[in-house]
């Protein structure tokens, strides 16, 4: 058995949502570095283009496209206009900090729309093509927030959205298990990305999070990307419906 070649993605086409920065950018880099032709998409068109340019500068195949995961028509149009993807990484996500008692309806809706409904719409539009082609691997970016309740910051909308992503992942995995399409998720701990800028609390909050983590540190985007790369590859050929914790041991406690 050639174990090294099972991890390679040569000749495969991958699409990453929210690839403009943070975990999505690292996923795009990991997939490209192991041979995939990567479509970097993001709500922010400049970021999508810059991500693709960055990969090309490193000698990889990549293109950038603006894509809002809440725009169902755009997703369907893009999926219909291209051959079936080999790999889809549903990464785009947002967070705010708000107690449930004070949460405006539009803030709840925005987080659910991007983090949960956006993942479903992407899986539906691109997964349908994969099922027709009889092959594909989807990796959704969930969160440990889908399994634990973060403290001390209140974020019920985010936690609920990520629990939904995990159960959606398992549901699609079972639906498509005999159709050649694997569906998995990763569940990261706190990762040092611009997303954390939207969580109020600063250094004191980060210190508290480290206290709660057995490895006593935040994660780096590349550490999540390596897990995604593995799940997207043939090295994970028997793995579907899994939620892989990438959390420094946080959920053990
Ligand atoms: P980030 O804010 O650094 O990057 C997110 C990217 O998604 C941005 O480029 C943004 O423009 C894009 N985006 C936002 N809304 C979009 C939309 N509607 N359509 C398309 N693109 C959109 O975030 P990150 O920290 O890299 O997080 C990426 C994913 O990882 C999210 O799903 C997040 O919930 C998850 N996650 C993050 C952490 C963490 O601590 N950073 C932990 C667990 C899970």
């Amino acid at each position: 058995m050639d174990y090294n070649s099972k991890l390679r993605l040569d000749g495969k086409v991958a699409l990453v949502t929210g690839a403009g920065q943070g975990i999505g950018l690292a996923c795009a880099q990991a997939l490209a570095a192991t041979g995939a032709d990567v479509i970097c998409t993001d709500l922010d068109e400049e970021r999508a283009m810059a991500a693709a340019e960055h990969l090309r500068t490193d000698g990889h195949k990549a293109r950038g496209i603006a894509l809002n995961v809440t725009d169902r028509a755009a997703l369907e149009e893009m999926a219909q206009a291209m051959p079936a993807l080999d790999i889809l990484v549903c990464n785009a996500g947002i967070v705010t900090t708000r107690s449930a008692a004070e949460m405006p309806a539009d803030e709840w809706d925005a987080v659910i729309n991007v983090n949960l409904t956006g993942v479903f719409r992407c899986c539906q539009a691109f997964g349908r093509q994969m099922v027709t082609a009889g092959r594909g691997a989807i990796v959704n970016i969930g969160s440990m927030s889908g399994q634990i309740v973060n403290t001390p910051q209140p974020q019920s909308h985010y936690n609920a959205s990520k629990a939904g992503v995990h159960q959606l992942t398992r549901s699609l995995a079972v639906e498509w298990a005999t159709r050649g399409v694997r569906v998995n998720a990763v569940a990261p701990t706190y990762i040092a990305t611009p997303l954390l800028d939207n969580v109020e609390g600063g250094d004191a909050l980060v210190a508290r999070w480290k206290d709660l983590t057995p490895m006593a540190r935040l994660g780096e985007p590349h550490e999540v990307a390596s897990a995604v790369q593995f799940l997207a590859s043939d090295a994970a050929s028997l793995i579907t419906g899994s939620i892989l914790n990438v959390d420094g041991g946080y959920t053990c406690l």
Side-chain angles (χ1 to χ4, degrees):
M1 181 55 64
D2 183 351
Y3 288 100
N4 283 318
S5 72
K6 288 210 287 185
L7 281 161
R8 293 290 311 178
L9 303 176
D10 304 284
K12 300 201 170 177
V13 177
L15 185 147
V16 181
T17 69
Q21 65 182 28
I23 293 169
L25 178 58
C27 289
Q29 288 170 320
L31 299 175
T34 47
D37 178 349
V38 181
I39 305 168
C40 300
T41 71
D42 201 285
L43 176 66
D44 184 319
E45 184 169 15
E46 274 183 32
R47 274 188 211 158
M49 297 303 172
E53 178 61 31
H54 187 68
L55 296 191
R56 287 195 297 270
T57 303
D58 285 346
H60 307 309
K61 287 172 81 175
R63 66 200 121 134
I65 303 178
L67 181 66
N68 180 350
V69 297
T70 68
D71 186 341
R72 185 183 176 197
L75 288 168
E76 290 291 341
E77 194 180 323
M78 189 182 290
Q80 305 286 328
M82 61 174 65
L85 296 169
D86 297 292
I87 296 163
L88 170 66
V89 179
C90 296
N91 162 79
I94 57 174
V95 69
T96 58
T97 302
R98 190 83 56 203
S99 70
E102 286 152 15
M103 186 157 334
D106 60 352
E107 192 167 333
W108 170 274
D109 289 348
V111 168
I112 298 297
N113 280 342
V114 176
N115 293 10
L116 178 55
T117 310
V119 171
F120 175 71
R121 295 286 185 224
C122 288
C123 288
Q124 185 183 46
F126 295 106
R128 187 189 294 122
Q129 309 282 86
M130 289 177 170
V131 167
T132 301
R135 54 162 176 75
I138 296 175
V139 185
N140 295 325
I141 310 299
S143 172
M144 68 175 181
S145 307
Q147 298 167 65
I148 54 96
V149 175
N150 304 69
T151 58
Q153 75 281 10
Q155 48 178 60
S156 59
H157 50 352
Y158 183 84
N159 299 345
S161 74
K162 292 299 183 177
V165 167
H166 294 178
Q167 191 62 348
L168 172 64
T169 298
R170 285 187 280 256
S171 303
L172 298 182
V174 170
E175 281 194 36
W176 296 340
T178 59
R179 311 295 298 276
V181 179
R182 296 183 298 104
V183 189
N184 291 290
V186 295
T189 182
Y190 299 104
I191 308 295
T193 74
L195 183 96
L196 297 189
D197 297 344
N198 290 333
V199 181
E200 295 160 22
D203 292 346
L205 200 57
V206 172
R208 175 89 182 108
W209 293 340
K210 288 180 182 171
D211 277 350
L212 290 165
T213 311
M215 287 179 76
R217 66 175 178 86
L218 304 190
E220 295 295 328
H222 72 85
E223 296 179 290
V224 180
S226 284
V228 170
Q229 193 279 334
F230 162 68
L231 289 171
S233 77
D234 289 344
S237 56
L238 191 59
I239 303 177
T240 198
S242 283
I243 313 300
L244 178 55
N245 294 330
V246 186
D247 68 359
Y250 195 110
T251 52
C252 294
L253 300 181

